[in-house]
Amino acid sequence: MKKCFVIVACAMSFFGCSEEASINSKNVVSNDSSLAEEEYILPYFDFGENGQRIRYEQGVRALFKQPETRNVLIVGSFDEFAKLERDYAIHLQEDVDYKRSIERPLDYVCRLSLLAMGQNYEYIMTQSGDTLLSDKIIYEGCEYIGLECDDCDESSEEDPYLKHKTLKKIAKEESFENEVSVEVYPYRMVASSFITNISSLYSSAGAETYFKKRQQVWRGPFVGTVWRWAAFDPDRNGVRAYCFERCTVDAGALSCTKPTSSSDLDTSGDTEDITERCALRFGISVSGSIDDDGPSDVSVSPVNDNVKEFNGGVVGLHYVKHKDIEFKAMTSKGFSSEVRKLLHTYSGFNYR
């Protein structure tokens, strides 16, 4: 397979997506004809043993899709890679049709911005040869949520999940754990908060919401139709993220400080996309000198460098509405167990 190499000096702009990225989600239909008009699952693939993508033609009993031709991207630094990933995240947030065109793995939850990048690029590497993104790297960063059952008949008419799992009927989980799962069969919301610190390079903090449905899907002529957790768009999917410089407990009372330094101006955000990040950026730079007569030659200028390390905490509020069911969850990351137990007393949290 021919590979194209692209060298960039700065990856701030969004790179064009492949032809498949223009697929309208309404053309992606469920194999269950009774649900085709009401609920359609999003484009999907399977992970192979080493993370390779196994792709299928959806909605038809066809052979496997031909492997897509993807480029290899060379970036000058990890910082450029991080900026590119943010560009993809913004595009996904602003373009619903593009977001729906991204293929998601069955039975896994993965960062959508990385899946979108992986749909365009087979590898993203630095000029020194370090691999920053590949199918295997994406695979290793995903979480498996499938049914682990050796004697299950996944091709049966009835979902084996119904026999081997205690069905949950609670659509709310406000424990502030790092990750929670809320289920009302056949739906499942997986919610989490995250803080990612790449030493001396880049920091990211926010919250993610994934929504899945137990669904019969076509997995090629050798396997046929089987039950899997597949991604699809609910009627509404909202997530809100709050970042705090620190939270402390004094005499049993919780006190939280929002970031006030120039390094963390934007402390919360909300979106209808599945991922929301707190904007951790330096806001302004002040320079000048001070002598006996006071300050002189003072200048203020904007700075857009990344925060290299975020040592605070993040709270995610996750809200999904589908049909007449409301799924809610509160998650957190970066807090002590003592603080986490009292987060529910903080009055500033509101669902999107």
Side-chain angles (χ1 to χ4, degrees), residues 111-181:
R111 184 75 52 83
L112 188 59
S113 55
L114 299 182
L115 289 174
M117 295 167 73
Q119 195 160 301
N120 290 145
Y121 300 107
E122 186 172 6
Y123 295 95
I124 299 181
M125 309 171 67
T126 63
Q127 293 175 350
S128 60
D130 295 325
T131 300
L132 302 178
L133 190 75
S134 66
D135 288 346
K136 184 177 181 180
I137 290 175
I138 294 175
Y139 168 67
E140 291 174 346
C142 297
E143 179 189 357
Y144 179 71
I145 62 169
L147 177 63
E148 297 186 33
C149 176
D150 294 334
D151 60 345
C152 289
D153 180 7
E154 297 175 326
S155 61
S156 62
E157 284 298 316
E158 184 180 32
D159 185 0
Y161 191 82
L162 295 171
K163 297 180 179 180
H164 293 269
K165 287 289 185 179
T166 301
L167 298 185
K168 302 176 182 179
K169 296 184 179 180
I170 299 175
K172 180 185 288 189
E173 175 59 74
E174 297 181 338
S175 63
F176 291 100
E177 295 294 329
N178 176 214
E179 180 177 297
V180 301
S181 179

Side-chain angles (χ1 to χ4, degrees), residues 22-42:
S22 64
I23 296 175
N24 189 302
S25 63
K26 293 183 179 180
N27 294 328
V28 181
V29 298
S30 164
N31 288 318
D32 185 343
S33 59
S34 66
L35 294 174
E37 294 299 323
E38 181 182 0
E39 295 180 351
Y40 49 81
I41 61 176
L42 298 171

Side-chain angles (χ1 to χ4, degrees), residues 116-313:
M117 295 167 73
Q119 195 160 301
N120 290 145
Y121 300 107
E122 186 172 6
Y123 295 95
I124 299 181
M125 309 171 67
T126 63
Q127 293 175 350
S128 60
D130 295 325
T131 300
L132 302 178
L133 190 75
S134 66
D135 288 346
K136 184 177 181 180
I137 290 175
I138 294 175
Y139 168 67
E140 291 174 346
C142 297
E143 179 189 357
Y144 179 71
I145 62 169
L147 177 63
E148 297 186 33
C149 176
D150 294 334
D151 60 345
C152 289
D153 180 7
E154 297 175 326
S155 61
S156 62
E157 284 298 316
E158 184 180 32
D159 185 0
Y161 191 82
L162 295 171
K163 297 180 179 180
H164 293 269
K165 287 289 185 179
T166 301
L167 298 185
K168 302 176 182 179
K169 296 184 179 180
I170 299 175
K172 180 185 288 189
E173 175 59 74
E174 297 181 338
S175 63
F176 291 100
E177 295 294 329
N178 176 214
E179 180 177 297
V180 301
S181 179
V182 182
E183 295 181 33
V184 176
Y185 186 86
Y187 307 108
R188 180 177 184 178
M189 180 179 78
V190 181
S192 64
S193 293
F194 64 88
I195 297 175
T196 303
N197 286 325
I198 308 298
S199 180
S200 302
L201 291 174
Y202 172 67
S203 187
S204 178
E208 296 177 313
T209 306
Y210 298 93
F211 200 63
K212 303 283 186 177
K213 179 176 182 290
R214 287 295 288 181
Q215 175 72 46
Q216 289 181 299
V217 297
W218 175 248
R219 293 183 65 243
F222 304 113
V223 177
T225 300
V226 296
W227 289 95
R228 289 289 185 271
W229 285 109
F232 78 103
D233 267 348
D235 296 336
R236 188 176 184 279
N237 186 354
V239 57
R240 176 167 286 174
Y242 296 82
C243 280
F244 296 94
E245 198 166 51
R246 61 183 173 275
C247 288
T248 58
V249 177
D250 185 16
L254 179 69
S255 175
C256 291
T257 303
K258 290 186 176 182
T260 55
S261 67
S262 61
S263 62
D264 298 302
L265 290 181
D266 296 323
T267 60
S268 65
D270 58 270
T271 179
E272 293 261 0
D273 194 13
I274 63 171
T275 302
E276 173 61 17
R277 295 169 177 78
C278 296
L280 305 179
R281 294 186 179 88
F282 291 99
I284 58 174
S285 174
V286 181
S287 63
S289 61
I290 299 177
D291 54 27
D292 293 339
D293 296 324
S296 61
D297 299 324
V298 176
S299 64
V300 179
S301 59
V303 178
N304 293 313
D305 292 337
N306 298 321
V307 169
K308 303 303 181 183
E309 186 173 5
F310 178 65
N311 293 313

Side-chain angles (χ1 to χ4, degrees), residues 287-350:
S287 63
S289 61
I290 299 177
D291 54 27
D292 293 339
D293 296 324
S296 61
D297 299 324
V298 176
S299 64
V300 179
S301 59
V303 178
N304 293 313
D305 292 337
N306 298 321
V307 169
K308 303 303 181 183
E309 186 173 5
F310 178 65
N311 293 313
V314 60
V315 170
L317 271 67
H318 315 262
Y319 174 81
V320 170
K321 179 173 174 45
H322 190 63
K323 297 184 177 180
D324 59 347
I325 308 174
E326 292 183 320
F327 298 79
K328 295 182 179 181
M330 293 184 178
T331 62
S332 71
K333 182 73 172 180
F335 298 107
S336 67
S337 58
E338 183 183 27
V339 168
R340 194 169 64 246
K341 290 177 182 178
L342 292 175
L343 282 174
H344 69 277
T345 65
Y346 185 77
S347 59
F349 295 143
N350 293 288

